[in-house]
Amino acid sequence: MKKDIKIGYEHFKSISELSETEKKLFERAKKARETGYAPYSNFLVGCAVLLENEEIYTGSNQENAAYPSGLCAERTALFWIGANFPNEVIKKIFIIGGPREFSEKTPPIPPCGACRQSLMEYETKQNEDIEVYFSNLNEEVFKVNSIKNLLPFYFDATFL
Ligand code: THU
C-alpha cells in the first residue's frame, strides 16, 4: 500500500515577516557564522539557539584535518547547551550557512541528517518541540515547528 507523508513548513520571502526575537536570532547566527573554522570545506555555518530563559547561545562549524572529527554548527551549540544547561528548554534554532564567498545567490541551507537526529534527541529529552529556521543572505527563511517535519520515520529511544 502506497502512502504519502506530508510535512508542514513555512517559507518567508523576507525576515521582516518574522518577530523581533527571530530577527535577533538571524543576526546572531549570521555573526556566529563568521567564527566557523572551515579550512577544508570553506563552507561556513552559524547558528543561534534560543532557550526558555531567553538566553541566546551560538555555534559555528568546527572542522578537523581528520575530517570526521569536525562538527557542524548546530551540534556544536546543542551539545554545549546540553552540557552547561541540561535542564533548560530549547525553544528555537536559527541556522545560516554557505560557501566562504557567501552571496545573495546562496540558498537557505537546511540542517544535515546528523544534526536533525541530534535535534530530535533534544525534543524527546525536553518533551517539547524546537522551532527550526534556516536562512540565507537574502533573508529568505524556511521554518518548521518541529524537527519531526524534517525527519520522517525518525529513530528514537522508544525503539531501544
Ligand atoms: N555543516 C554544518 O555546520 N551544518 C550543517 O547542517 C551542514 C554542514 C558544516 C559541516 C562542514 O564543516 C561544512 O558545513 C561542509 O559540510
Side-chain angles (χ1 to χ4, degrees), residues 4 13 20 41-42 76 82 85 102 136-137 143 145 159:
D4 294 318
K13 289 262 152 57
E20 290 309 308
S41 72
N42 283 310
T76 302
F85 307 105
F102 205 31
N136 62 3
L137 267 194
K143 175 192 174 188
N145 288 328
F159 294 102

Side-chain angles (χ1 to χ4, degrees), residues 59-77:
S60 59
N61 56 330
Q62 301 295 315
E63 296 187 348
N64 195 287
Y67 294 173
S69 300
L71 198 62
C72 290
E74 298 92 318
R75 278 175 290 154
T76 302

Side-chain angles (χ1 to χ4, degrees), residues 1-152:
M1 189 198 298
K2 184 180 177 296
K3 291 191 179 182
D4 294 318
I5 293 177
K6 279 192 187 156
I7 66 151
Y9 71 94
E10 287 172 85
H11 184 200
F12 302 97
K13 289 262 152 57
S14 158
I15 201 150
S16 63
E17 297 172 53
L18 298 179
S19 71
E20 290 309 308
T21 303
E22 287 144 6
K23 284 180 196 148
K24 192 162 147 192
L25 286 171
F26 169 81
E27 290 304 333
R28 292 288 301 271
K30 198 163 106 181
K31 205 152 181 46
R33 180 182 169 274
E34 290 163 20
T35 70
Y37 174 63
Y40 307 105
S41 72
N42 283 310
F43 192 93
L44 295 168
V45 185
C47 71
V49 180
L50 176 71
L51 302 184
E52 195 161 50
N53 66 8
E54 295 184 0
E55 295 285 343
I56 295 172
Y57 295 98
T58 59
S60 59
N61 56 330
Q62 301 295 315
E63 296 187 348
N64 195 287
Y67 294 173
S69 300
L71 198 62
C72 290
E74 298 92 318
R75 278 175 290 154
T76 302
L78 291 170
F79 294 166
W80 189 85
I81 290 164
N84 289 283
F85 307 105
N87 301 315
E88 206 56 60
V89 171
I90 297 168
K91 302 296 283 184
K92 301 171 194 271
I93 182 167
F94 213 112
I95 305 155
I96 182 162
R100 197 179 293 280
E101 281 79 40
F102 205 31
S103 82
E104 269 71 25
K105 292 195 185 108
T106 307
I109 303 298
C112 81
C115 290
R116 293 178 196 206
Q117 184 68 30
S118 297
L119 279 159
M120 189 62 229
E121 185 70 26
Y122 288 105
E123 279 200 3
T124 309
K125 179 187 172 212
Q126 66 186 29
N127 196 25
E128 206 178 299
D129 291 348
I130 300 171
E131 291 178 3
V132 181
Y133 301 77
F134 48 99
S135 181
N136 62 3
L137 267 194
N138 289 332
E139 306 190 351
E140 177 193 358
V141 183
F142 286 92
K143 175 192 174 188
V144 289
N145 288 328
S146 159
I147 196 62
K148 294 181 195 83
N149 288 302
L150 295 182
L151 199 62

